Amino acid sequence: MVTESVPAARATRESGKQTRMALFNAATELFLEHGDSVSIAQICTAAGAHPNQVTYYYGSKEKLFVEVACAAVLRAGKRAEVDAADADTVGDYTEKLVGSLLGSGAPSVELFVEAMMMTGRRGELRDLISETLRTLHSSGETALLRTLIRTGWQLRAGIDVESKAFWSAIFGLVIQKTATGESFGYSLEEAVAVIFATLQIPDAVLNSSME
C-alpha cells in the first residue's frame, strides 16, 4: 500500500507544479497586455484551470500579479544588459540600456511600477517587491562597477546609491509615461539625458570606450 502511494503523491505534486506554472504563464501574458484589470476568470480560462486554484497556489490575484511583475522586470533588466553588451562607448551603452528598458522592456517595467503601487495598499506583498529591488540594484552595481574599472570614472556617491538612482530614474520616467499616455519613441533622447543628469556622467566618460 505504501509503495503505491509514493508514485501517486509524486504525480500529484507534478500536476500541481504544472497547474501553478500554467496559471503563472497565462497571467504573465494577460497582465503584460492588459494590466491589473485582468480577472481571475480570464486567467483561469487561458490556463485551463479553476478559480479556486489561483487562491490555492498564489493566495490571491494580487499576489499572483506581484509575482508576475517581479519576474517580468528582472527579465527586462537582464535583456537590457544583453542589448547593451555590444556598445562601444559608455554613452552608447547607457543609451542602449535605457532604450531597452523604455522600449521593448517598457511593459514589464510598467507592470512592476504598478505592483509597487499596489503593495502600498497590501503590506503583506512588500517582501516580494523588496527582494526584486535588491536584485535589480545588485545587478546594477555589478554593471556600474565594470564601467568604473574600464573608464576610471569617479562616482559622486557610493556605487549602491548610484545603482538605486538609475532605477529610480527609470521608474520615474515610466510613471510619467503612464500618467500622460505618451510613447517613449519620440523622447528617448530626453529619457537618456535624464539618466545622464541623474548619474552626473561627465562627457569625457560618455565617450570612453567600453573595451
Side-chain angles (χ1 to χ4, degrees), residues 132-173:
T132 300
L133 285 171
R134 280 193 291 270
T135 300
L136 290 174
H137 295 157
S138 177
S139 297
E141 289 175 30
T142 300
L144 186 53
L145 180 60
R146 289 197 299 267
T147 302
L148 295 177
I149 292 173
R150 290 168 178 170
T151 66
W153 172 26
Q154 297 297 313
L155 295 176
R156 59 174 181 169
I159 194 169
D160 58 329
V161 174
E162 296 291 3
S163 177
K164 291 175 182 177
F166 171 82
W167 278 105
S168 293
I170 290 293
F171 295 143
L173 288 166

Side-chain angles (χ1 to χ4, degrees), residues 2 4 18 32 41 47 49 56 74 76 87-88 91 93 108-109 118 123 130 134 138 146-147 150 161 164 169 182 200:
V2 174
E4 291 179 354
Q18 292 176 357
L32 282 172
Y56 180 79
L74 289 175
D88 296 322
Y93 174 82
S108 296
V109 181
M118 180 183 293
S130 296
R134 280 193 291 270
S138 177
R146 289 197 299 267
T147 302
R150 290 168 178 170
V161 174
K164 291 175 182 177
E182 295 175 343
Q200 293 187 359

Side-chain angles (χ1 to χ4, degrees), residues 97-202:
L97 199 65
V98 175
S100 180
L101 289 171
L102 301 185
S104 62
S108 296
V109 181
E110 289 173 15
L111 204 67
F112 185 68
V113 168
E114 191 173 350
M116 285 194 289
M117 297 294 195
M118 180 183 293
T119 57
R121 305 184 298 273
R122 300 290 299 270
E124 72 276 12
L125 302 177
R126 287 175 185 160
D127 286 347
L128 288 168
I129 295 294
S130 296
E131 180 59 33
T132 300
L133 285 171
R134 280 193 291 270
T135 300
L136 290 174
H137 295 157
S138 177
S139 297
E141 289 175 30
T142 300
L144 186 53
L145 180 60
R146 289 197 299 267
T147 302
L148 295 177
I149 292 173
R150 290 168 178 170
T151 66
W153 172 26
Q154 297 297 313
L155 295 176
R156 59 174 181 169
I159 194 169
D160 58 329
V161 174
E162 296 291 3
S163 177
K164 291 175 182 177
F166 171 82
W167 278 105
S168 293
I170 290 293
F171 295 143
L173 288 166
V174 167
I175 290 173
Q176 177 181 316
K177 172 186 178 296
T178 302
T180 61
E182 295 175 343
S183 168
F184 279 122
Y186 79 98
S187 60
L188 180 57
E189 289 184 4
E190 294 177 13
V192 172
V194 168
I195 300 298
F196 288 166
T198 300
L199 299 182
Q200 293 187 359
I201 307 176

